[in-house]
């Protein structure tokens, strides 16, 4: 990497990165507003903005009007400076959702194209799958290429080996896959656990907005837990923090649930629903039907389910003691406020713990939303960092 020579070049790069960061954070700013926020002189601010616009990182998006003096130019980040592809990869063995859903975003966060893929475009080859999805969305959006890829996966990502672990989607668990994707597609690639990404979306857009920290308990085909520490997520040494479904339930007797997944995971919820007379194709459908029904069977099913979820909730609350737990995932979305209230009641009835419980405020695919948020943050930080690292020609 080329290094900056001389303090003047370093200072110039720092001024550019600070200005770029402000444009990303504030959206639009005039030259005067940037000067006030940075403390830079008029000539320096003009020089920085000229450099950013010539580099294609900033653009003039309008002019102020109505005040004394000439109209001021309004600057923003150039939305075309980077393109983020977010892909939600799903284990569809216990759900009717498509195995892949993806969105293409520009640097400003606008969604350029979005689609669900009901079948694997490359039949188990992740590189081919991502390449096909990228080509499709770029064609829809009129973009030439992708700058950054963010994957949301139903497993844990170990950045030390570039490997996605604990995943039951064909081809996606092979060693070094993320590194392979980056090399084959010539772009930067990040991967994260789907529940972690759902927590990012919940913090930015949902029930955890404004919370200092929180835990997100995912109730879907699988169980998961994301632990938001306020400024970061707890991911663990190999990305496996929050794989709560593996927690054993003591020395289970034959025929009894052996771990939390077999107590409250999707298949267990579906079996419980069937035992109460519900016939939906998935646990999500059964819970949704029960939440809408006013019957003894619905009350019994949801009450029994709440008792099970309260056990999982108690593990999270006792271990982490968060100020808030958000119930998310397909089952939580389907059960809504009715299920949340029953879970809270069972939690209080069976433990002395009083952790506040909310249900997700998101109705869209939280994993995809979180992947978009995470991918945009990564590429924006990379652009700001690159301004500090690049060599600057003498003027």
């Amino acid at each position: 990497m080329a290094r900056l020579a001389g303090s003047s070049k370093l200072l110039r790069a720092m001024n550019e990165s600070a200005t770029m960061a402000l444009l990303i954070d504030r959206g639009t700013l005039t030259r005067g507003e940037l000067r006030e926020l940075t403390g830079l002189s008029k000539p320096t601010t003009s020089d920085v903005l000229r450099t950013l616009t010539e580099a294609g990182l900033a653009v003039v998006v309008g002019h102020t009007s109505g005040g004394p003096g000439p109209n001021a130019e309004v600057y923003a980040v150039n939305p075309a400076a980077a393109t983020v592809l977010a892909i939600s990869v799903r284990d569809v063995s216990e759900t009717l959702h498509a195995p892949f859903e993806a969105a293409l975003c520009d640097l400003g966060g606008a969604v350029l194209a979005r689609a669900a893929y009901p079948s694997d475009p490359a039949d188990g080859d992740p590189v081919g799958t991502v390449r096909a999805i990228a080509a499709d969305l770029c064609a829809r959006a009129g973009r030439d290429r992708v700058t950054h890829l963010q994957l949301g996966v139903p497993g844990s990502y170990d950045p030390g080996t570039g490997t996605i672990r604990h995943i039951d989607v064909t081809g996606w668990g092979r060693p070094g896959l993320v590194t392979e994707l980056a090399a084959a597609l010539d772009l930067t690639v990040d991967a994260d656990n789907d529940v972690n990404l759902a927590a990012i979306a919940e913090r930015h857009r949902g029930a955890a907005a404004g919370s200092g920290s929180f835990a997100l308990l995912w109730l879907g085909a699988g169980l998961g837990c994301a632990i938001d520490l306020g400024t970061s997520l707890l991911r663990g040494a190999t990305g496996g923090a929050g794989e709560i479904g593996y927690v054993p339930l003591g020395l289970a007797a034959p025929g009894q649930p052996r771990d939390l997944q077999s107590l409250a995971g999707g298949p267990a919820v579906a079996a419980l629903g069937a035992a109460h007379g519900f016939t939906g194709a998935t646990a999500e459908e059964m819970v949704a039907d029960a939440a809408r029904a006013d019957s003894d069977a619905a009350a019994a099913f949801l009450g029994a389910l709440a008792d099970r979820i309260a056990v999982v909730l108690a593990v999270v609350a006792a271990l982490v003691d968060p100020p808030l737990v958000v119930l998310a995932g397909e089952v939580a979305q389907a059960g809504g406020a009715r299920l949340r209230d029953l879970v809270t009641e069972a939690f209080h009835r069976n433990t002395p713990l009083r952790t506040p419980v909310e249900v997700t405020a998101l109705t869209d695919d939280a994993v995809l939303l979180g992947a978009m948020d995470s991918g945009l943050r990564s590429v924006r930080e990379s652009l700001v960092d690159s301004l500090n690292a690049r060599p600057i020609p003498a003027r």
Side-chain angles (χ1 to χ4, degrees):
M1 177 184 296
R3 298 195 177 274
L4 301 176
S7 59
S8 62
K9 293 183 179 181
L10 177 60
L11 183 59
R12 187 184 302 167
M14 291 172 62
N15 292 338
E16 291 168 2
S17 65
T19 300
M20 185 70 176
L22 282 168
L23 289 173
I24 289 171
D25 184 55
R26 302 297 182 95
T28 58
L29 290 167
T30 65
R31 192 187 311 259
E33 289 169 335
L34 281 166
R35 189 170 64 249
E36 183 177 342
L37 289 167
T38 60
L40 300 176
S41 66
K42 285 185 179 181
T44 300
T45 302
S46 297
D47 185 54
V48 166
L49 286 171
R50 182 171 57 252
T51 299
L52 292 178
T53 53
E54 289 175 354
L57 297 178
V59 291
V60 176
V61 294
H63 296 78
T64 61
S65 60
N71 294 343
E73 293 177 328
V74 179
Y75 290 85
V77 294
N78 181 3
T83 307
V84 174
L85 173 61
I87 300 179
S88 173
V89 182
R90 301 188 182 107
D91 176 359
V92 294
S93 59
E94 302 293 339
T95 179
L96 298 180
H97 295 284
F100 302 95
E101 187 159 357
L104 199 68
C105 307
D106 65 22
L107 186 60
V111 177
L112 304 173
R114 177 173 171 174
Y117 297 87
S119 60
D120 189 337
D123 194 24
D125 171 27
V127 174
T129 297
V130 173
R131 182 177 281 120
I133 291 173
D136 177 56
L137 292 185
C138 282
R140 295 178 188 227
R143 287 295 176 98
D144 294 331
R145 66 183 300 271
V146 173
T147 307
H148 181 89
L149 169 63
Q150 176 67 58
L151 296 170
V153 295
S156 59
Y157 174 56
D158 182 355
T161 62
T163 301
I164 302 166
R165 305 181 187 276
H166 313 302
I167 187 169
D168 294 324
V169 182
T170 302
W172 287 83
R174 69 176 181 243
L177 173 62
V178 172
T179 304
E180 178 186 348
L181 281 167
L185 302 174
D186 188 27
L187 74 170
T188 58
V189 181
D190 285 330
D192 205 348
N193 170 260
D194 50 4
V195 182
N196 284 340
L197 292 174
I200 290 173
E202 203 70 52
R203 168 167 288 284
H204 289 176
R205 309 160 184 255
S211 178
S213 61
F214 71 100
L216 183 138
L217 179 56
W218 183 268
L219 306 167
L223 290 181
C225 179
I227 302 167
D228 181 298
L229 302 175
T231 57
S232 63
L233 289 167
L234 179 63
R235 291 183 169 84
T238 61
E243 294 288 349
I244 197 170
Y246 294 117
V247 174
L249 291 171
L251 302 175
Q256 297 299 309
R258 67 183 183 279
D259 54 25
L260 292 181
Q261 171 66 22
S262 56
L263 177 73
V269 175
L272 184 64
H276 285 84
F278 288 86
T279 58
T282 65
E284 178 184 354
E285 287 189 0
M286 292 181 185
V287 173
D289 289 344
R292 289 190 296 264
D294 182 15
S295 65
D296 291 342
F301 171 34
L302 293 176
L305 176 58
D307 286 340
R308 295 186 180 202
I309 295 172
V311 174
V312 186
L313 175 60
V315 173
V316 175
L319 184 63
V320 184
D321 189 23
L324 172 69
V325 172
V326 177
L327 305 180
E330 298 91 352
V331 168
Q333 283 183 321
R338 183 177 179 183
L339 180 60
R340 175 205 60 199
D341 292 345
L342 290 169
V343 169
T344 302
E345 180 184 334
F347 178 56
H348 290 171
R349 185 174 63 248
N350 294 302
T351 77
L353 305 172
R354 292 297 180 267
T355 305
V357 180
E358 289 292 345
V359 70
T360 178
L362 303 176
T363 56
D364 200 352
D365 181 348
V367 177
L368 185 62
L369 294 177
M372 287 189 277
D373 290 342
S374 182
L376 284 168
R377 182 178 62 193
S378 293
V379 78
R380 288 167 176 173
E381 289 176 352
S382 177
L383 284 173
V384 170
D385 290 344
S386 70
L387 290 169
N388 277 329
R390 71 185 179 88
I392 299 176
R395 291 186 182 274

